[in-house]
């Protein structure tokens, strides 16, 4: 079994305290849950950070990412060019706050609109080797959970997110694999493709799950789950 642990985390920029301003204290439970999930990746020998992006791409450990576009130009990760999309930039930042920070890492961007079949295939490919891999899978749930959400409330948003949360808790890979990309696009659920990569990577494993966080504090579904 190549995948020995996995973590699911969201990627809102405001998870970074310098960007959260007055909301920083109320987001500490979310950050704490992420740290717990990422600490569990320390049993791996290397980590692959998977997140959505505008195109399929892989990046080395030194790839750079910046929070400058979100108002924190002094907060960045990596020593290389600032090429990482937001999901992977947040993933790298979270890793640097955890016990898994010193492990070798790489980054994988999956197109937001990638087909479920290809996402599952990517997951199978990640799990095909003999190395003990830890996966950090970045993705937000629906951005239409309330009238105060980035996009106006959608009646199917909460049902979609509840389905995803239960699938994480139950390690129900079939449910994750069956998530409808068209519905996810309508609900602006950025995690759909990375979650389906996770479903492919965990196929055939016997990892247990712990759903550490499930809330929509700003009308966007945030999940943190640990698979060990």
């Amino acid at each position: 079994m190549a995948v020995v642990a996995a973590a699911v985390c969201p990627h809102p920029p405001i998870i970074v305290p310098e960007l959260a301003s007055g909301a920083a204290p109320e987001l500490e439970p979310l950050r704490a849950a992420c740290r717990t999930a990422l600490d569990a990746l320390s049993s791996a020998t290397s980590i692959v950070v998977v997140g959505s992006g505008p195109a399929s791409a892989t990046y080395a450990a030194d790839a750079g990412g910046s929070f400058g576009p979100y108002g924190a130009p002094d907060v960045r990760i990596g020593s290389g060019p600032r090429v990482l999309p937001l999901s992977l930039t947040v993933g790298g930042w979270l890793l640097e706050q955890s016990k898994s920070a010193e492990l070798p890492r790489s980054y994988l961007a999956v197109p937001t609109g990638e087909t479920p079949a290809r996402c599952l295939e990517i997951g199978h490919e990640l799990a095909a080797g003999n190395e003990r891999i830890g996966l950090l899978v970045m993705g937000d749930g629906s951005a239409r959970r309330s009238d105060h959400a980035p996009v106006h409330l959608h009646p199917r948003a909460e049902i979609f997110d509840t389905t995803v949360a239960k699938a994480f808790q139950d390690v129900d890979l079939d449910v994750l694999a069956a998530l409808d990309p068209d519905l996810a696009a309508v609900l602006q659920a950025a995690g759909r493709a990375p979650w389906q990569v996770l479903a492919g990577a965990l196929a055939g494993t016997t990892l247990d799950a712990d759903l550490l966080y499930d809330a929509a504090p700003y009308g966007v579904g945030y999940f943190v789950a640990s698979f060990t």
Side-chain angles (χ1 to χ4, degrees):
M1 178 179 65
V3 177
V4 297
V8 169
C9 294
H11 54 73
I14 58 171
I15 202 169
V16 178
E18 289 87 341
L19 289 167
S21 187
E26 68 187 55
L27 288 173
E28 181 53 31
L30 172 59
R31 286 189 290 269
C34 290
R35 287 193 296 269
T36 297
L38 269 65
D39 286 350
L41 297 181
S42 60
S43 62
T45 56
S46 67
I47 294 175
V48 179
V49 186
V50 181
S52 59
S56 178
T58 56
Y59 304 95
D62 65 347
S66 171
F67 291 100
Y70 305 95
D74 296 331
V75 182
R76 61 163 296 170
I77 65 165
S79 58
R82 302 180 185 187
V83 295
L84 296 177
L86 174 63
S87 64
L88 300 181
T89 298
V90 175
W93 182 86
L94 286 172
L95 265 179
E96 291 175 1
Q97 318 305 310
S98 76
K99 295 178 181 177
S100 304
E102 300 305 317
L103 290 175
R105 77 179 75 159
S106 60
Y107 299 93
L108 172 63
V110 182
T112 303
E114 189 60 270
T115 66
R118 177 57 185 149
C119 290
L120 293 170
E121 185 178 25
I122 292 169
H124 294 323
E125 292 167 356
L126 287 173
N130 294 320
E131 189 176 1
R132 293 173 58 85
I133 294 174
L135 292 182
L136 172 53
V137 180
M138 307 300 298
D140 296 350
S142 175
R144 305 184 66 174
R145 286 281 296 273
S146 77
D147 290 328
H148 303 290
V151 187
H152 62 276
L153 176 66
H154 193 286
R156 298 183 67 181
E158 186 170 357
I159 296 171
F160 178 90
D161 282 357
T162 299
T163 299
V164 171
K166 189 173 189 306
F168 289 145
Q169 183 66 73
D170 297 343
V171 199
D172 194 332
L173 306 182
D174 291 337
V175 168
L176 293 177
L179 292 174
D180 182 353
D182 293 331
L183 176 60
V186 169
L187 300 178
Q188 299 199 7
R192 189 275 308 173
W195 297 335
Q196 290 182 322
V197 171
L198 174 69
L202 294 187
T205 68
T206 57
L207 300 182
D208 294 322
D210 188 5
L211 183 63
L212 301 169
Y213 189 94
D214 173 16
Y218 306 110
V220 182
Y222 299 153
F223 313 107
V224 179
S226 177
F227 300 82
T228 57

